[in-house]
Amino acid sequence: MKSKAILTLLSLGLFIYGFTGNDQPSKPSKEVIERGKKVFNHVCAPCHGKDGKGDGVVSSTIFVKPRNFTTGVFKFRSTESGNLPTDADLYESISLGFHNTAMPSFTALSPEDRYAVMEYIKTFSERFSNPNEYPLKVIEPANQIPLSPESIAKGREIYLRTKCWECHGVSGKGDGPAAKRGFQDDWGNKILIPDLTNPNEVKRAQTVEEIYLVFTTGLNGSPMPSFKDVLTDEERWHLANYIYALIHGIALYDGTTIEQLKETR
Ligand code: HEC
Ligand code: HEC
C-alpha cells in the first residue's frame, strides 16, 4: 500500500516536472495524443488551424498571426538558436500566453490537458520525432548580476555598441533605422517591433532572466537574432538589466533619459 502511494507520487512528479524530451524525442502514449487532439481541436484550432498550419478561422482577423506548427520553428525557447524548444518551453508558452497578441494564457486548462496538447502540437512537425535534432542545447541562466545603476549603465553601453538600436532605436521605442523598412517573420507575416519602454508591448520578456533569454537564444523565425556568441555571459546580464530598466521605466544611473541620449547622438 505504502509503495503504491510512493509510486503514484513519483509518477505524478514525473508527470508534472518530468519533461523528458531534451535528450531524445519524447514518446507520449496514444491516450495522451488523443487527449491532446481533443483539447487542440476544441481550444486552439480556431487560431492555429486543425492541421496546425496557423490558418484557423480567427487568423485572418488578427495582426500577429498564430504560429504555423508544421515547420517546428518556435520563437520563445530556452535552447540555442536554431534548436527546437524543450517540452517545458512549450508548456510554459501554453500556460503564459503572449502579451500584446491574441494568444491568451491557458491556466484554465488542467495541467494534464496542457501537457497533452503540448505533446499533440509536436506531432505537426517531423522535427520533434527526428533523433538528429537531439540532445537539445539548453541554456541555463546562471551567475545573474544584481540590478544596480552601474550594471544598467554598462548595459546601455553594450546596447549601443552591439547595435541593438539599429532595429530597436536609440530610445528603445522600436524606431531604429532598420525598423523603417518593417519586419517579416519566416512565414511571410508582417510583424511589429515592440516599444521596449512599454511593458505592454513586450510579449514575454518581463523579468531580467526572460530578457536575458530572448537575446541569448534569439527568436527563431523572426529577425531578432541570438547574441550568445557576440557577448560574454557577464555582458548579457548587464544588457538584460538595462533592458529591464527600459521596460520598467527605472531612471538611469546619472539621470540621463533615453530621450536626452538620443539628442546627443
Ligand atoms: C485567439 C488565438 C489563439 C488561440 C486560441 C491559441 N493561440 Fe497559440 N498563438 C497565437 C498567436 C497569435 C501566436 C503567435 C505569437 C507570436 O508570434 O509572437 C501563437 C503562438 C503559439 C505558440 C508558439 C510560440 C513560439 O514560441 O513561437 C504556441 C506553442 C502556441 N501558440 C500554442 C497554442 C496552444 C497549444 C493553444 C491551445 C491550447 C493555442 N496556442 C491557442 C494565437 C492563439
Ligand atoms: C535585426 C533587427 C533586430 C536587432 C539587431 C535586435 N532586435 Fe530585438 N527584436 C527584433 C524584432 C523584429 C523583435 C520582435 C520579434 C517578435 O515579436 O516576433 C524583437 C524583440 C525583442 C525583444 C522583446 C521580446 C518579447 O518578449 O517580446 C527584446 C527584449 C529584444 N528584442 C532585445 C534586443 C536586444 C537587447 C538587442 C541587441 C543585443 C536586439 N534586440 C537586437 C529585431 C531586432
Side-chain angles (χ1 to χ4, degrees):
M1 187 60 202
K2 204 177 165 195
S3 65
K4 200 176 170 196
I6 291 172
L7 210 81
T8 315
L9 262 179
L10 260 181
S11 55
L12 195 78
L14 199 79
F15 178 75
I16 297 175
Y17 302 110
F19 297 114
T20 51
N22 290 355
D23 295 333
Q24 54 188 4
S26 64
K27 294 191 180 63
S29 67
K30 259 195 201 143
E31 290 73 31
V32 165
I33 294 296
E34 275 309 306
R35 182 174 186 157
K37 184 176 181 177
K38 270 199 202 119
V39 176
F40 185 84
N41 285 342
H42 188 59
V43 185
C44 323
C47 286
H48 290 283
K50 269 213 156 24
D51 302 319
K53 291 185 182 156
D55 58 356
V57 284
V58 178
S59 67
S60 61
T61 67
I62 50 182
F63 183 82
V64 180
K65 298 301 177 197
R67 180 71 59 263
N68 174 344
F69 295 135
T70 62
T71 58
V73 172
F74 289 85
K75 290 180 184 173
F76 292 94
R77 311 172 322 284
S78 61
T79 56
E80 287 189 15
S81 183
N83 275 229
L84 290 169
T86 66
D87 289 357
D89 292 339
L90 291 175
Y91 186 89
E92 185 166 277
S93 289
I94 296 164
S95 302
L96 297 176
F98 298 101
H99 299 285
N100 211 25
T101 79
M103 168 92 185
S105 145
F106 283 104
T107 42
L109 291 176
S110 69
E112 291 83 355
D113 279 345
R114 276 179 267 159
Y115 172 79
V117 78
M118 176 275 290
E119 284 293 359
Y120 183 65
I121 60 173
K122 285 161 58 184
T123 64
F124 290 123
S125 165
E126 285 176 359
R127 287 189 69 193
F128 285 103
S129 52
N130 181 353
N132 296 336
E133 298 280 354
Y134 298 84
L136 302 177
K137 292 187 192 130
V138 179
I139 290 163
E140 313 266 7
N143 308 320
Q144 182 167 350
I145 294 170
L147 201 65
S148 70
E150 293 74 24
S151 173
I152 292 171
K154 279 188 190 149
R156 180 171 63 176
E157 278 161 28
I158 296 161
Y159 179 87
L160 296 174
R161 169 161 55 84
T162 321
K163 301 197 173 165
C164 306
W165 58 268
E166 278 190 346
C167 295
H168 288 284
V170 176
S171 66
K173 288 179 182 291
D175 53 0
K180 298 222 163 63
R181 294 187 293 273
F183 293 107
Q184 266 196 358
D185 64 19
D186 282 8
W187 302 272
N189 302 313
K190 281 189 189 147
I191 55 170
L192 295 174
I193 187 157
D195 173 352
L196 293 179
T197 66
N198 179 353
N200 298 324
E201 287 202 11
V202 174
K203 289 177 184 167
R204 169 66 61 76
Q206 300 284 339
T207 66
V208 174
E209 191 174 306
E210 284 166 341
I211 296 166
Y212 168 98
L213 273 181
V214 162
F215 60 77
T216 301
T217 65
L219 302 181
N220 290 350
S222 92
M224 173 65 209
S226 158
F227 291 85
K228 182 174 174 289
D229 299 329
V230 181
L231 298 169
T232 66
D233 199 42
E234 194 187 324
E235 286 173 322
R236 278 181 275 133
W237 282 118
H238 291 310
L239 181 57
N241 281 339
Y242 173 63
I243 304 289
Y244 181 89
L246 264 186
I247 292 176
H248 298 280
I250 300 171
L252 299 175
Y253 75 113
D254 61 356
T256 316
T257 64
I258 295 297
E259 284 310 313
Q260 285 162 337
L261 181 69
K262 193 176 173 184
E263 281 161 21
T264 59
R265 287 184 73 86

